[in-house]
Amino acid sequence: MSIPVVLASQSPSRRDVLYTAGVCPIIRVSHVDEPAALERAAAQSGVTVQDLSIGQRVMILAQAKAQAVFRAYRDVAGAADEAHGDQVTAYPLQAVASSRETSEANDGSNDNDTKGSEPAERSTFTRDFSGIDVPTASEPIAQVLANHDGIAHSAVGPLIIGCDSMFLFDGECYGKPHDADVAQRRLSAMRGHDGELWTGHCVIDFATGHVSRGASHATVRFGNYSDQEIERYIATGEPLEVAGSFTLEGFGSAFIEGIDGDPHGVMGVSLPLLRHLTAQLGIEWTDLWNVSRGVPAGTSKKDATQPVPPKETVHQPGDGWVSCACGRRHWGTNGAAGVLLARRDPQTGAVSDIVMQHRAVWSAEGGAWGIPGGAIADGESPIEGALRESFEEANITSQDIEVVGSYREEHGPWAYTTVFAFEKPGRRVMPCANDDESLEIEWVPFDQVPDRRLLTALRTDWPNFAARLQGLAASYGVLHAAPGNAAVEQSA
């Protein structure tokens, strides 16, 4: 298997450059405060930000972004490594097959006779296994994790790539203009002249913590475009959120007369530089290739009839459909997972609320309520995948929660893992919709969960989940608030 790559950027251009070069990255936005990062770095060097060269600035910001994502992954790996309790694994397809065989034997039916087996078949296609006695097995989560190394115990990778770009023109460093008036002034000044686009990269090997970084630049020669062309270009919105107010691969490409240097660096990712940086970490660039040319796995003409997600939603490692023996297709080539996060009453310790996701209309069973989660990425254990997805979708921070159990619905070629978690004593998770996969994310009172329009699978599992959560809460202990907003645990 290739070494997973995490891109600490939401730039479609950077992602596309990597993808075209054979690397499909996991996208994890860093949310770094860039001015503050530059101020800290300058202060540590005893200078002002204005004293920093453009090369220093892009490398400082690239490293800050990579380190922010490194810390986030460390939190995920730590929370997964500290998980305890049991994993209950259910085998519903065995129950369906057994139900069908029993019905056929009792009715004297043959393989073409559906009499007596209709309820089992219908439940299979709706993923509603209520009323079916599903066999289960239980084992300690620690034993499960021993069989899924994940990122916590990886020998190499994932590689976390941080990037930053700035444009140097007339001795001034330009970042993103954000404002139409700023973009207009810059584009007017740049026409007919040259400037330098600098790109900084930082690569961190998560397994070792080793870091390599560097910067590249290219000279950009601009054409003598008109005021009307500037006005219309700004109206597209493209130049507002890109370094230097222009792009090489978009609407602005026609205004660029030539490039001296690495053109990929102008698009935000210098592939030659990245190859050198990964080599410094002892990793071959070709070990990162994970893109097969042709139609992405799991796609078909049938997909064209499905609700279309926003164009910003991109393919990532682990995304794709798996055809299952149950007669349905499931999302996640490595399986899928989500977090069922519960809050306990500070006085009684009983479960009071859970975090729920109101799913976007374009998603499967759009408009229904479920738990935050999604496809497990390459190299992740199911618990790590659930923790990563729950932050990306719902802002559930791994350092603030404790994994206390899990439930895995095993379908053979695919499985879904529900991770049970509580807020840590003294911690508060503030959920919110971090991406466009949710209409809303909120704490829902425990006793009101059945009143929502639930995803089919959650509606089926909820009675067992509710009972297990309350049992876990009872065994976990009673939480009492102490003076100074601290918290202690007492055995139940």
Side-chain angles (χ1 to χ4, degrees), residues 21 35 39 80 105 110 132 142 147 176 251 282 288 297 299 308 325 329 348 364 367 417-418 423 430 434:
E39 290 285 355
N110 56 37
I132 296 176
N147 298 325
K176 301 173 183 177
F251 288 106
L288 309 183
T299 61
V308 178
R329 294 188 312 154
T348 67
T417 301
T418 300
E423 289 176 307
M430 306 298 290
N434 271 353

Side-chain angles (χ1 to χ4, degrees), residues 171-219:
E172 184 177 354
C173 295
Y174 289 166
K176 301 173 183 177
H178 302 301
D179 180 84
D181 290 337
V182 174
Q184 194 278 333
R185 289 195 298 272
R186 291 182 181 179
L187 288 166
S188 296
M190 287 155 44
R191 61 183 163 191
H193 297 285
D194 299 348
E196 292 181 354
L197 196 291
W198 284 73
T199 296
H201 292 325
C202 177
V203 182
I204 303 177
D205 180 359
F206 181 82
T208 64
H210 294 164
V211 179
S212 61
R213 67 175 195 163
S216 73
H217 69 279
T219 299

Side-chain angles (χ1 to χ4, degrees), residues 45-384:
S45 299
V47 298
T48 67
V49 172
Q50 287 68 34
D51 295 323
L52 297 173
S53 69
I54 187 170
Q56 290 174 315
R57 296 187 200 190
V58 294
M59 282 196 290
I60 288 168
L61 292 178
Q63 184 162 346
K65 294 172 183 179
Q67 287 178 333
V69 172
F70 174 81
R71 290 191 294 270
Y73 264 72
R74 187 179 57 196
D75 290 338
V76 165
D81 225 20
E82 295 169 1
H84 55 89
D86 293 330
Q87 173 166 289
V88 176
T89 303
Y91 301 91
L93 300 191
Q94 293 181 13
V96 171
S98 175
S99 173
R100 182 180 296 113
E101 291 169 1
T102 301
S103 297
E104 291 176 352
N106 291 338
D107 297 338
S109 57
N110 56 37
D111 289 342
N112 295 322
D113 189 355
T114 60
K115 181 181 179 182
S117 64
E118 183 179 351
E121 290 181 350
R122 183 170 62 248
S123 62
T124 298
F125 281 99
T126 62
R127 185 145 137 47
D128 179 355
F129 299 111
S130 55
I132 296 176
D133 188 12
V134 177
T136 61
S138 180
E139 59 182 326
I141 282 183
Q143 185 173 330
V144 174
L145 290 174
N147 298 325
H148 293 87
D149 289 338
I151 62 173
H153 305 287
S154 174
V156 59
L159 289 190
I160 299 170
I161 299 176
C163 310
D164 190 75
S165 297
M166 287 187 179
F167 185 63
L168 183 65
F169 182 76
D170 270 353
E172 184 177 354
C173 295
Y174 289 166
K176 301 173 183 177
H178 302 301
D179 180 84
D181 290 337
V182 174
Q184 194 278 333
R185 289 195 298 272
R186 291 182 181 179
L187 288 166
S188 296
M190 287 155 44
R191 61 183 163 191
H193 297 285
D194 299 348
E196 292 181 354
L197 196 291
W198 284 73
T199 296
H201 292 325
C202 177
V203 182
I204 303 177
D205 180 359
F206 181 82
T208 64
H210 294 164
V211 179
S212 61
R213 67 175 195 163
S216 73
H217 69 279
T219 299
V220 183
R221 301 195 305 274
F222 295 95
N224 197 10
Y225 38 80
S226 68
D227 288 344
Q228 180 170 282
E229 286 174 318
I230 292 176
E231 183 178 329
R232 289 179 175 177
Y233 182 39
I234 292 173
T236 68
E238 180 181 275
L240 302 184
E241 298 302 324
V242 290
S245 311
F246 69 92
T247 64
L248 181 60
E249 71 282 11
F251 288 106
S253 57
F255 306 136
I256 297 172
E257 298 280 321
I259 301 289
D260 297 325
D262 177 18
H264 289 119
V266 179
M267 292 188 283
V269 173
S270 172
L271 295 174
L273 175 59
L274 277 185
R275 187 174 67 84
H276 290 310
L277 295 179
T278 55
Q280 290 177 14
L281 298 174
I283 296 171
E284 294 281 347
W285 175 256
T286 53
D287 288 338
L288 309 183
W289 286 350
N290 62 347
V291 175
S292 298
R293 297 306 179 199
V295 179
T299 61
S300 68
K301 292 181 179 179
K302 181 180 178 182
D303 294 336
T305 66
Q306 304 302 314
V308 178
K311 63 180 180 180
E312 292 81 6
T313 302
V314 298
H315 179 82
Q316 300 191 59
D319 286 356
W321 296 100
V322 174
S323 296
C324 182
C326 75
R328 300 188 70 210
R329 294 188 312 154
H330 303 299
W331 184 248
T333 58
N334 303 312
V339 171
L340 180 54
L341 176 62
R343 171 172 287 170
R344 294 174 301 134
D345 184 278
Q347 301 303 319
T348 67
V351 175
S352 59
D353 306 88
I354 69 167
V355 173
M356 298 199 72
Q357 175 194 44
H358 194 188
R359 295 171 62 86
V361 174
W362 55 262
S363 64
E365 296 191 62
W369 289 80
I371 61 173
I376 299 167
D378 292 353
E380 292 179 329
S381 70
I383 290 178
E384 290 168 344

Side-chain angles (χ1 to χ4, degrees), residues 344 347-350 470-480 488-492:
R344 294 174 301 134
Q347 301 303 319
T348 67
Q470 292 290 32
L472 287 168
S475 63
Y476 189 80
V478 178
L479 179 64
H480 294 280
V488 295
E489 284 292 330
Q490 296 183 353
S491 298

